[in-house]
Amino acid sequence: MGNGTTATGVVGVDIGGTGVKGAVADLDTGELATERVRLDTPHPATPDSVASTVTDLLKQVPGSGPVGLTLPAVIRKGIVETASNIDESWIGVNAVELFASMTAREVSVINDADAAGSAEVRYGAGKGVAGVVVVITLGTGIGSALFVDGTLVPNTELGHLHLHGGDAEDWAAESIREHDELSWKEWGHRLQRYLEQIERVLWPQLIIIGGGVSKKSDKFFPHINLSTKMVPATLHNDAGIVGAAMFAPTG
Ligand code: BGC
């Protein structure tokens, strides 16, 4: 990186249910160019309180470049359309206008799984894979990102497929495994049922499993048997930040 690149570099900010994380990303390598800064997500996580946390965080991240942000919600033309795991008061908010006016920076806002998935497909486990690729993130909820020859089809929300009499993420998310103290085998069987549905409707070339728990894929992958190739994500914690930065406004 040339002298001063970090100072003007593109910033990624990943807003989650427990933490807001940000750094300057190196979009040549898909790595973080500065140390990651993390602040607790405020509670309740209303638009104004989250925007003020993001403003505080940006003061601690070097550089004054454009900022890409994520939210765990459907984002259409900057507007938040859903709120399954965030405060309901987000619905209808123009998140781009809110963050731009609070932070006085140029910003973009996209869905968290779309961001993490985009980083995986450009730099990680999906690099160079042609055809249909699905990234599933397992965390508090279930996020999804769909790609066709590397191009994102945004806001797919495959975590809300109907499964076991309700919303798939309410039965198969990582948070449910923890809360219900499921064994890896029990959870693996739930994921099997879930991923079979993805296969049945999309027939992807590759399924990438992301989210923090993807680091422990050796524990639950053995309990899943699909006809589609399935691999763990490789960018782990940084995927959301890097993916957010990929979509930051460039001028
Ligand atoms: C939300 C998605 C989000 C996913 C992972 C779901 O509940 O509807 O927008 O990507 O959680 O955070």
Side-chain angles (χ1 to χ4, degrees):
M1 284 179 42
N3 193 18
T5 310
T6 306
T8 54
V10 180
V11 177
V13 177
D14 193 17
I15 301 174
T18 55
V20 180
K21 293 162 274 176
V24 175
D26 179 341
L27 295 180
D28 290 330
T29 62
E31 286 162 7
L32 301 190
T34 61
E35 215 163 288
R36 144 221 281 264
V37 179
R38 182 193 182 282
L39 296 178
D40 285 343
T41 305
H43 285 288
T46 56
D48 280 347
S49 61
V50 171
S52 127
T53 302
V54 168
T55 309
D56 291 346
L57 180 129
L58 288 177
K59 289 182 191 143
Q60 298 175 43
V61 175
S64 53
V67 184
L69 298 120
T70 74
L71 280 174
V74 169
I75 313 289
R76 218 166 31 174
K77 293 195 171 171
I79 314 271
V80 179
E81 305 273 9
T82 62
S84 357
N85 284 314
I86 57 171
D87 198 86
E88 289 216 339
S89 56
W90 277 97
I91 292 187
V93 168
N94 187 322
V96 170
E97 279 177 8
L98 171 73
F99 288 120
S101 70
M102 289 277 274
T103 63
R105 301 276 283 268
E106 274 195 83
V107 309
S108 65
V109 184
I110 67 163
N111 172 265
D112 59 349
D114 282 347
S118 296
E120 278 303 326
V121 162
R122 187 183 295 179
Y123 307 104
K127 192 174 169 186
V129 181
V132 175
V133 174
V134 175
V135 182
I136 297 293
T137 64
L138 302 170
T140 309
I142 295 182
S144 65
L146 173 67
F147 299 85
V148 184
D149 290 335
T151 300
L152 172 69
V153 181
N155 294 315
T156 43
E157 294 292 317
L158 299 176
H160 300 294
L161 291 178
H162 192 75
L163 188 67
H164 197 70
D167 213 87
E169 73 173 13
D170 294 337
W171 190 63
E174 155 67 359
S175 58
I176 304 296
R177 179 189 73 79
E178 283 185 348
H179 181 266
D180 292 356
E181 296 178 5
L182 301 176
S183 67
W184 291 108
K185 189 175 175 187
E186 285 168 322
W187 190 50
H189 288 166
R190 292 189 183 193
L191 289 175
Q192 168 79 27
R193 295 263 309 276
Y194 173 62
L195 294 168
E196 275 171 1
Q197 292 220 25
I198 305 270
E199 266 193 320
R200 199 175 301 137
V201 291
L202 290 173
W203 292 99
Q205 300 295 323
L206 177 69
I207 296 176
I208 300 173
I209 302 294
V213 75
S214 62
K215 275 180 270 187
K216 299 180 187 157
S217 62
D218 57 317
K219 306 244 191 260
F220 61 97
F221 271 36
H223 305 296
I224 303 171
N225 181 20
L226 302 171
S227 67
T228 305
K229 185 175 176 196
M230 179 178 74
V231 294
T234 57
L235 267 62
H236 301 305
N237 285 335
D238 295 340
I241 297 175
V242 173
M246 282 169 63
F247 289 89
T250 48

